[in-house]
Amino acid sequence: MPVSLLWAVDVYGRVYSLSTGGQQWEQCRDAQLEFKRVTAAQQCCWGIACDHNIYLNVHASDLPIRYQEETYENHRWNPVDGFSERLLPSDRWQWSDVTGLQHQPLDGFTLPSDSWEWEADWYVDENFEGEPTEKGGWNYAMDFPATYTKDKKWNSCVRRRRWLRYRRYKARDTWAKIPSQQSALPDPFNDISCGGWEISEEPRGMLSLWAVSLQGKVWFREGICHHNPEGSSWLEVSLPGEVVQISCGSGDLVWAVLWEGQLIVREGISRDCPQGTSWVVVDSPSPEIGAIHVAVGVNVVWAVTKDNKVWFRRGVNSHNPCGSGWIGMVGEMIMINVGLNDQVWGIGCEERAVFYRQGVTSSELSGKAWKAIAVPRDGDRSHSSASASSLHSAGCFFSGEVCAQSVASDLDSDTEKEKGAAPGGGVCLGTSGDAPDPAPEPLADAPKARIPKVTSDSFISELVSDRDPGKSPRDGGSATAPAILEEESVPGDGEVASPPPGPGLSASQSGGPLDPQWSNVDLEEAQAVQAGAGAALDSADTCSLSSVATYTLALEEPYGADEHPLWAWVSGGGCSVDCHSQLNWFNCSANSASLVQSVQSMSLSITPAQTAAWRRQIFEQLSERSKREMDNFKHYEQAVEQSVWVKKGTVQWWRDWKPHKWMDVRFALEQFSGPDGNKDGILFIYYSFNEEKKYLHAFINEVTILVPVLNDSKHTFAIYTPERTKQRWPIRLAASTELEMYDWLALLSVSCSDARGVQGPPSRQAIWSVTCKGDIFVSEPSPGLEAMPYPTPCDQLFWRQVGGHLRLVECNSAGVVWGIGYDHTAWAYTGGYGGGFFQGLASSTDNIYTQTDVKSVYIYENQRWNPVTGYTNRGLPTDRYMWSDASGLHECTKTNTKPPSPHWTWASDWSVDYGISGGTDREGWQYAADFPASYHGYKTLKDFVRRRRWARKCRLTTTGPWQEVPPISLSDVSILPCAAQNSVEVVPLWAISNKGDVLCRLGVTTVTPAGSSWLHVGTDQPFKSISIGAANQVWAIAKDGSAFYRGSVSAQNPAGDCWYHIPSPAKQKLKQVSVGRTSVYTVDENGNLWYRQGVTPSYPQGSCWEHISNNVRKVSVGPLDQVWIIADKVQGSHSLSCGTVCRRLGVQPMEPKGQSWDYGIGGGWDHVSVRGNSMEPPRVRMPSLTALSVPPPRSQLPVRNQEELNGNAVGC
């Protein structure tokens, strides 16, 4: 689960945040103002300060917020001057936008606020549609506007070029004031709410911000997105009455509370109209008691009435935003907030504590119970220790006497300080019988503990600072008298402080019980200070409470160390918590601290010498026992030479011959172990055919992979052997339940691993692969895998599954492995094994973490045009289904479409997807002449069909040896491949964010594979693929399909200097690149594999592209220039197979392109990474007729030296 923040404001206007991975509230130190309310999203937090202005706090990130400003310089040709800035009166401006309608000179661009800064000056964009232009960046056309080309023609009468300049948002992790309107200023605000980030999909990333003014008006902030976090302007929204509070969910729900206690719901909210169209009035939960607060999420609405009762609205969703009715809930709150995953937070009415709603799930949105968050603030833990240390340094030690040092409030004048202070500097808490002075008056006028008037950073520091440095802490006391425990009070007007009591006065004699207004200093700290003073040890036994230091809350921080803060507002809009989250917010910090201290005190009593002797004694006892029970019986023969056990069950088998269908069969695993400990086994499938009993078998040591094939109808898994891998026809079995299927898979996986001697975590040389369903597999390569001329066949590789769910995995031979999920979350391999359905010995006990993944399921709505009704869902008899998948061959409606497997659960409702390739219109439609054809986002006269894509998110939760690398979402990652002989301290790692930014990870080592921070590498356009090879060769593919090479990348300069544009193959757009030791391979969007010729150390950009193969989905080049691909349309025994792992044969230093393909496991695979296999293959010398008679020359280098030269040549 990603680390996120819960935001809150206390009654003093201070803003705090609580991390899902932390255990204390962290105060926002940057806030110089007091805040009234905050509202949070995952990337930022908005707040209203005491001056009624809105402030924005954007979370710091390694990925900068950059905005590209652009303008076009336009020229026209004339016979006298040629191309010049003299345009016709009917032409566009000389400096304009892309349409030519707006005048945009270079000096007309200004920064929107003080939170922005320019990165550099204006420069000319010299790329045009992925291709470099001539010097100057000019594009030519016959007239304005027209189709522009980079080449100048005889009829080119106009030209233009684009100027670019980037500005960067610099106000990160600080509260920045939102600039006011340039025209009419809105009223001062008193409520605010943000949301709406799930209305539209990326890359728009819009955010909705709603605000309520003091006069009851509602305002909407326009233009908030990733590149413009502040927004552009305020838009007033019409209302049916005066509003006092508003709430905006992450989707399209917006509710508000009217002054009369009624609620209103905003309707018509969409991607193109995020502010909505109209309001609908909803009655209060209680007719006689109006509502005062409302909070909404994705599918929930909570409300609080004026009597602090909590209500839940049932039946709320995007199709029915008003819901159906109210349900009263247990508890009394002053406010409610709904965060991510519809999780609910609240602030209690009496104790003002932050409460968390337990048991909130997608099936039970109302939750089960309230639970208070009991964690300290960041200043609470250091309070007691700082106080004790300050007292100790000032010469004051704890004893059995309770007296008070007078320290006046900041509100008191200097005269009042002198009047209230005793001559000796002490003020007694009470009087004894011997004291002649009357007792002080009760502290009736003293500030209450819950609403303090004065706060200070530290009471003890103020106590010490008020003393005269030249005087003793107690001038009138004896040097041998017991130390005085100091306490402070605030005298009222006219009060006279009494002198200190006698040295023998105890706490019980000096005035009875203490006022509950006073709080305690940590007892362990006080006792530690006592231990430092020898004289105080004798008096420690007289009173167990003598080491308690007390003082008024009014002179210290607003809360004591033993009191919980008083909260006024909470916002969980950026806090990602669900029922699977492991939170440390509900543990008692005091008990934990005392437990840690007691354990430390116990450990201190055992010396290292005693520990060593104890370990030595245990080792001797174990050695003696082993000799007695094992060595004395070695001469006996083994009673049982081998053990055999059998597991049987009933499954269904997809039979090999036609007609193919599922058959009920008996399935058995017979496993045996020999006297030498080797294990092996056989799989049997017993079936009946034509009333004749037959069986099918497979040896365990021949099984190459076990693949779960989950679908919505059966719990299926496939068993591959080398022969069945060649045929592309595995043994397919279906269990009756999911649990039974995973029991068989776990058992068979352990048996296959035992038979092949493969145990524990994957090695650093392992080959990683991922299926199209997100399952992760790993294979241990043998030294002869790449041996020439007789390499190990690819179909004989043994693959075992690793827990987790990812979209791609990249590795290197240093053991650094990263993966990216379907939701673009980055994960680093922890070194464990197992997870998922693996339990017991099949999985490591540590380094296994919970992993979540989210992906979208797509269906298509198809329509055909007819002259009468226009576009309708009535198609021709030969047309595709009106609701179908992308191919149109399968009917997929909103009701019958299910998640990909039982592991997935729906996480959202169906919504129109506007991010489809080719663009859409305002309603999400794409148009074409017929099905299927090339679709575009605008309607023409020849378009008779149209479609639009609907998306719905689903979520999967599993476990595996993966730890999340927050907070930037990635789309591609690449790790430097190293040779086996080389070792690097810091491993270079490059990545592409899901927004197309290029990043370089710093601090990646074998000890810390997750690294420390990101370094942003500037680009002029978004990228989609990147790869780093030997000698720090960095190649990348832009989203327009062009290739780039990064120059001057080294260990001293990990980000390099500049990008060099590499022309793409003719009429092709590249989509993926992989770089090895000396080879560079790319794959284009049509599935063609290209090799870059002429790559040398002196000219790393190469010379030209050479076509190698087609039907290629992805390519991976290893550290020894091995070439592995995911191929489509591989011929099998029954049909073509898509997604097959293949290896290039014949790759040698003198022939890097190889000769042919060796087909391995498949289909259904989507990614492979061979970048960790750096084992040099054994060199096999072919015999020849002259080898026996002609001795080798003496100058020939040995094989070992040649390997060393090859290793050093890698330079990584």
Side-chain angles (χ1 to χ4, degrees):
M1 185 62 66
V3 177
S4 53
L5 297 178
L6 175 68
W7 291 79
V9 182
D10 65 2
V11 295
Y12 303 93
R14 292 178 298 191
V15 182
Y16 290 83
S17 62
L18 177 61
S19 170
T20 53
Q23 300 185 34
Q24 68 174 2
W25 291 98
E26 300 287 345
Q27 184 178 357
C28 190
R29 303 294 182 182
D30 176 73
Q32 303 296 330
L33 298 173
E34 296 178 357
F35 279 77
K36 297 169 55 179
R37 296 179 180 183
V38 294
T39 176
Q42 286 187 303
Q43 69 272 19
C44 63
C45 182
W46 299 76
I48 300 178
C50 59
D51 58 357
H52 299 290
N53 286 317
I54 292 183
Y55 290 79
L56 172 62
N57 190 325
V58 180
H59 304 335
S61 173
D62 297 321
L63 187 63
I65 298 176
R66 305 169 72 228
Y67 184 81
Q68 175 184 287
E69 299 281 10
E70 68 174 17
T71 185
Y72 287 83
E73 181 183 6
N74 306 302
H75 282 184
R76 176 174 284 278
W77 182 87
N78 64 74
V80 179
D81 303 323
F83 282 102
S84 69
E85 57 189 23
R86 297 181 180 181
L87 303 175
L88 298 178
S90 58
D91 281 342
R92 56 184 60 190
W93 301 89
Q94 179 192 349
W95 294 91
S96 68
D97 61 351
V98 65
T99 63
L101 301 178
Q102 295 183 1
H103 184 42
Q104 293 186 168
L106 295 181
D107 54 1
F109 289 86
T110 59
L111 295 175
S113 68
D114 295 336
S115 301
W116 294 86
E117 63 180 0
W118 293 113
E119 283 191 352
D121 203 353
W122 290 96
Y123 68 94
V124 175
D125 181 16
E126 296 185 354
N127 291 326
F128 178 74
E129 296 181 353
E131 297 291 336
T133 61
E134 65 176 17
K135 188 175 181 181
W138 291 104
N139 302 320
Y140 298 88
M142 188 171 59
D143 200 358
F144 298 123
T147 302
Y148 293 89
T149 61
K150 66 175 182 177
D151 299 322
K152 180 182 177 182
K153 301 179 180 179
W154 65 270
N155 59 350
S156 299
C157 298
V158 295
R159 68 177 184 179
R160 74 174 185 182
R161 60 180 176 181
R162 186 171 69 159
W163 289 76
L164 300 177
R165 192 179 189 184
Y166 285 90
R167 51 181 167 92
R168 182 192 300 262
Y169 189 81
K170 63 180 180 179
R172 309 294 287 266
D173 269 350
T174 183
W175 290 99
K177 183 179 178 180
I178 299 301
S180 302
Q181 292 272 117
Q182 299 297 329
S183 56
L185 292 176
D187 300 328
F189 295 119
N190 66 345
D191 189 38
I192 191 173
S193 179
C194 72
W197 53 82
E198 291 186 2
I199 296 177
S200 59
E201 296 289 337
E202 293 290 345
R204 283 191 68 176
M206 303 296 291
L207 187 71
S208 300
L209 182 68
W210 298 76
V212 178
S213 67
L214 293 177
Q215 296 183 1
K217 298 180 180 179
V218 171
W219 299 81
F220 179 81
R221 186 71 175 175
E222 294 181 312
I224 301 177
C225 61
H226 172 73
H227 300 294
N228 186 22
E230 297 176 330
S232 56
S233 61
W234 289 104
L235 175 66
E236 185 177 359
V237 181
S238 59
L239 294 169
E242 294 185 6
V243 172
V244 295
Q245 188 259 332
I246 196 168
S247 178
C248 175
S250 59
D252 53 2
L253 286 182
V254 176
W255 283 53
V257 180
L258 294 178
W259 182 263
E260 295 82 6
Q262 294 177 315
L263 298 107
I264 55 176
V265 183
R266 192 66 173 172
E267 291 186 338
I269 296 177
S270 63
R271 177 178 184 264
D272 297 306
C273 186
Q275 70 273 16
T277 56
S278 60
W279 295 99
V280 176
V281 179
V282 176
D283 293 333
S284 172
S286 179
E288 63 277 1
I289 303 176
I292 60 172
H293 189 89
V294 67
V296 303
V298 179
N299 294 309
V300 297
V301 174
W302 292 71
V304 178
T305 52
K306 294 180 181 180
D307 55 355
N308 296 324
K309 299 296 183 181
V310 181
W311 300 82
F312 174 80
R313 187 75 173 176
R314 66 172 180 262
V316 176
N317 53 56
S318 60
H319 304 289
N320 183 23
C322 298
S324 56
W326 294 101
I327 302 175
M329 310 300 290
V330 178
E332 294 185 356
M333 301 286 169
I334 63 171
M335 66 87 58
I336 293 287
N337 185 263
V338 180
L340 301 177
N341 306 319
D342 285 337
Q343 182 58 54
V344 187
W345 318 86
I347 295 181
C349 178
E350 296 296 334
E351 60 280 355
R352 289 295 187 96
V354 177
F355 284 86
Y356 161 80
R357 187 70 176 176
Q358 284 186 313
V360 175
T361 61
S362 58
S363 58
E364 191 173 354
L365 295 172
S366 60
K368 297 180 179 179
W370 295 103
K371 191 170 186 179
I373 297 178
V375 294
R377 298 170 301 144
D378 55 358
D380 291 343
R381 292 189 173 183
S382 60
H383 169 72
S384 57
S385 59
S387 302
S389 61
S390 302
L391 281 172
H392 191 282
S393 61
C396 301
F397 302 97
F398 293 84
S399 69
E401 296 184 6
V402 182
C403 293
Q405 177 80 14
S406 65
V407 179
S409 168
D410 293 343
L411 296 179
D412 298 336
S413 63
D414 296 339
T415 306
E416 291 174 337
K417 291 183 180 180
E418 296 173 359
K419 289 176 60 179
V427 177
C428 185
L429 293 178
T431 60
S432 64
D434 300 334
D437 297 338
E441 296 179 6
L443 301 178
D445 298 332
K448 294 183 180 180
R450 299 183 65 175
I451 310 176
K453 297 181 180 179
V454 180
T455 59
S456 60
D457 292 335
S458 175
F459 160 69
I460 298 300
S461 61
E462 186 176 1
L463 175 70
V464 177
S465 64
D466 285 348
R467 295 180 177 176
D468 188 352
K471 295 183 180 181
S472 173
R474 290 166 296 154
D475 295 340
S478 173
T480 60
I484 296 177
L485 175 64
E486 300 178 355
E487 191 176 47
E488 66 180 11
S489 63
V490 181
D493 295 339
E495 287 185 316
V496 179
S498 61
L505 183 63
S506 65
S508 60
Q509 296 171 345
S510 61
L514 298 177
D515 192 1
Q517 175 176 317
W518 310 73
S519 64
N520 300 340
V521 175
D522 193 275
L523 294 178
E524 287 80 4
E525 291 290 342
Q527 293 172 1
V529 176
Q530 279 186 342
L537 292 177
D538 297 333
S539 61
D541 298 333
T542 60
C543 181
S544 60
L545 297 178
S546 62
S547 60
V548 179
T550 59
Y551 49 89
T552 59
L553 294 175
L555 293 180
E556 176 50 0
E557 297 186 3
Y559 320 112
D562 58 346
E563 287 192 9
H564 64 80
L566 306 177
W567 300 106
W569 200 264
V570 65
S571 177
C575 187
S576 180
V577 175
D578 55 23
C579 58
H580 303 285
S581 301
Q582 300 294 330
L583 301 175
N584 300 320
W585 296 351
F586 313 107
N587 301 326
C588 181
S589 58
N591 295 339
S592 301
S594 60
L595 179 62
V596 171
Q597 185 169 1
S598 62
V599 172
Q600 291 176 350
S601 62
M602 292 174 60
S603 62
L604 292 176
S605 61
I606 303 177
T607 63
Q610 292 174 336
T611 303
W614 173 66
R615 292 178 176 175
R616 190 181 307 109
Q617 181 182 3
I618 292 180
F619 178 74
E620 292 175 355
Q621 292 177 356
L622 290 176
S623 300
E624 182 180 356
R625 177 181 176 181
S626 177
K627 182 177 180 181
R628 181 176 67 253
E629 296 181 358
M630 300 294 295
D631 297 346
N632 296 336
F633 298 93
K634 286 185 176 180
H635 58 282
Y636 289 97
E637 296 182 0
Q638 190 171 356
V640 180
E641 295 187 358
Q642 67 178 13
S643 61
V644 179
W645 61 269
V646 180
K647 178 178 172 60
K648 299 180 180 180
T650 302
V651 298
Q652 286 187 317
W653 170 55
W654 185 257
R655 68 182 189 183
D656 293 341
W657 59 88
K658 294 182 179 180
H660 302 294
K661 66 178 183 178
W662 291 101
M663 297 178 57
D664 292 330
V665 298
R666 289 188 300 114
F667 184 53
L669 168 62
E670 180 178 334
Q671 187 173 9
F672 52 87
S673 59
D676 54 355
N678 295 331
K679 296 181 180 180
D680 205 347
I682 306 177
L683 292 173
F684 292 97
I685 298 176
Y686 300 96
Y687 64 95
S688 298
F689 181 67
N690 293 332
E691 298 182 356
E692 180 181 358
K693 294 183 177 180
K694 295 185 178 182
Y695 72 90
L696 183 72
H697 74 281
F699 293 99
I700 283 293
N701 57 9
E702 292 182 354
V703 174
T704 56
I705 192 171
L706 302 161
V707 186
V709 188
L710 292 175
N711 52 49
D712 55 357
S713 59
K714 290 183 178 295
H715 307 284
T716 313
F717 61 97
I719 302 175
Y720 281 87
T721 61
E723 184 61 30
R724 288 187 172 269
T725 300
K726 296 178 182 179
Q727 299 173 0
R728 311 290 157 198
W729 191 260
I731 300 174
R732 280 181 281 186
L733 303 174
S736 58
T737 63
E738 180 183 357
L739 180 61
E740 182 183 358
M741 181 196 71
Y742 282 134
D743 286 342
W744 276 112
L745 278 177
L747 177 62
L748 293 174
S749 298
V750 173
S751 301
C752 294
S753 299
D754 291 341
R756 295 178 178 266
V758 179
Q759 302 292 341
S763 67
R764 296 185 174 185
Q765 312 290 332
I767 303 173
W768 295 74
S769 66
V770 182
T771 68
C772 58
K773 294 183 178 294
D775 297 320
I776 309 164
F777 289 87
V778 64
S779 177
E780 301 294 340
S782 62
L785 179 62
E786 304 289 345
M788 294 298 294
Y790 305 111
T792 302
C794 190
D795 52 28
Q796 295 184 6
L797 290 178
F798 172 65
W799 299 86
R800 54 177 175 148
Q801 189 169 354
V802 177
H805 188 273
L806 297 172
R807 181 175 57 88
L808 62 88
V809 175
E810 285 296 329
C811 61
N812 78 339
S813 59
V816 179
V817 182
W818 277 46
I820 300 177
Y822 282 83
D823 57 355
H824 301 287
T825 301
W827 302 86
Y829 176 62
T830 61
Y833 61 96
F837 60 85
F838 294 99
Q839 303 293 334
L841 297 178
S843 176
S844 58
T845 57
D846 54 353
N847 294 327
I848 300 296
Y849 300 93
T850 301
Q851 183 181 11
T852 60
D853 203 357
V854 178
K855 71 176 183 179
S856 296
V857 177
Y858 300 104
I859 60 175
Y860 289 83
E861 180 184 4
N862 308 301
Q863 292 186 354
R864 176 174 286 276
W865 182 87
N866 66 72
V868 179
T869 59
Y871 286 103
T872 63
N873 55 3
R874 295 182 179 180
L876 299 177
T878 57
D879 278 344
R880 57 180 59 190
Y881 294 100
M882 291 298 99
W883 288 89
S884 68
D885 59 356
S887 64
L889 302 177
H890 305 281
E891 185 177 14
C892 300
T893 64
K894 291 183 180 180
T895 55
N896 66 9
T897 302
K898 298 180 180 180
S901 72
H903 289 167
W904 294 86
T905 57
W906 292 121
S908 69
D909 203 354
W910 290 104
S911 61
V912 177
D913 181 19
Y914 298 90
I916 186 173
S917 176
T920 65
D921 62 3
R922 295 175 60 89
E923 297 180 354
W925 291 104
Q926 289 185 313
Y927 300 86
D930 200 356
F931 297 122
S934 177
Y935 295 92
H936 44 267
Y938 52 90
K939 184 181 181 304
T940 64
L941 295 177
K942 298 180 180 180
D943 294 331
F944 296 98
V945 297
R946 69 178 183 178
R947 71 171 186 179
R948 63 178 171 183
R949 187 167 73 175
W950 292 77
R952 191 177 187 183
K953 293 182 180 180
C954 54
R955 178 181 288 108
L956 176 142
T957 301
T958 182
T959 58
W962 306 93
Q963 197 164 17
E964 184 184 356
V965 184
I968 300 177
S969 300
L970 304 180
S971 62
D972 194 20
V973 66
S974 180
I975 311 171
L976 177 75
C978 300
Q981 304 93 326
N982 294 73
S983 61
V984 291
E985 296 182 357
V986 179
V987 180
L989 185 147
W990 288 64
I992 304 290
S993 73
N994 65 330
K995 301 182 184 300
D997 297 287
V998 179
L999 305 170
C1000 178
R1001 189 68 173 176
L1002 304 179
V1004 178
T1005 63
T1006 56
V1007 180
T1008 58
S1012 57
S1013 62
W1014 289 105
L1015 177 63
H1016 180 260
V1017 181
T1019 59
D1020 292 338
Q1021 56 181 316
F1023 282 32
K1024 61 182 178 181
S1025 177
I1026 198 164
S1027 180
I1028 178 173
N1032 292 289
Q1033 306 176 69
V1034 178
W1035 286 67
I1037 305 297
K1039 285 193 174 181
D1040 61 3
S1042 57
F1044 288 87
Y1045 172 80
R1046 186 69 176 178
S1048 304
V1049 179
S1050 63
Q1052 296 74 22
N1053 185 20
D1057 291 336
C1058 60
W1059 292 103
Y1060 296 93
H1061 185 273
I1062 308 297
S1064 303
K1067 299 181 181 180
Q1068 301 293 337
K1069 291 185 177 181
L1070 303 177
K1071 69 174 184 178
Q1072 192 237 336
V1073 62
S1074 185
V1075 186
R1077 178 165 57 182
T1078 60
S1079 300
V1080 178
Y1081 281 83
T1082 59
V1083 179
D1084 63 25
E1085 295 180 352
N1086 295 321
N1088 297 307
L1089 180 66
W1090 301 86
Y1091 168 76
R1092 187 67 176 176
Q1093 288 186 340
V1095 176
T1096 61
S1098 59
Y1099 191 67
Q1101 297 93 328
S1103 57
C1104 62
W1105 296 103
E1106 181 178 352
H1107 184 264
I1108 301 298
S1109 179
N1110 54 7
N1111 297 326
V1112 177
R1113 186 182 303 178
K1114 286 186 179 180
V1115 62
S1116 178
V1117 182
L1120 305 179
D1121 286 338
Q1122 314 99 304
V1123 181
W1124 290 57
I1125 63 170
I1126 300 295
D1128 290 330
K1129 298 182 181 180
V1130 176
Q1131 183 63 48
S1133 58
H1134 293 76
S1135 62
L1136 295 178
S1137 174
C1138 294
T1140 302
V1141 177
C1142 304
R1143 175 189 55 174
R1144 190 71 173 171
L1145 296 177
V1147 176
Q1148 301 182 35
M1150 300 305 296
E1151 193 174 354
K1153 295 175 291 184
Q1155 299 172 352
S1156 61
W1157 294 107
D1158 179 23
Y1159 299 101
I1161 193 66
W1165 257 249
D1166 193 58
H1167 185 84
V1168 66
S1169 178
V1170 71
R1171 298 171 67 82
N1173 183 18
S1174 60
M1175 289 190 297
E1176 292 279 355
R1179 301 182 182 275
V1180 180
R1181 181 174 298 175
M1182 297 298 295
S1184 61
L1185 297 176
T1186 59
L1188 300 177
S1189 58
V1190 180
R1194 295 184 179 181
S1195 60
Q1196 183 178 2
L1197 291 175
V1199 174
R1200 179 177 58 85
N1201 294 342
Q1202 185 65 33
E1203 291 179 355
E1204 292 176 357
L1205 290 176
N1206 292 338
N1208 295 333
V1210 175
C1212 63

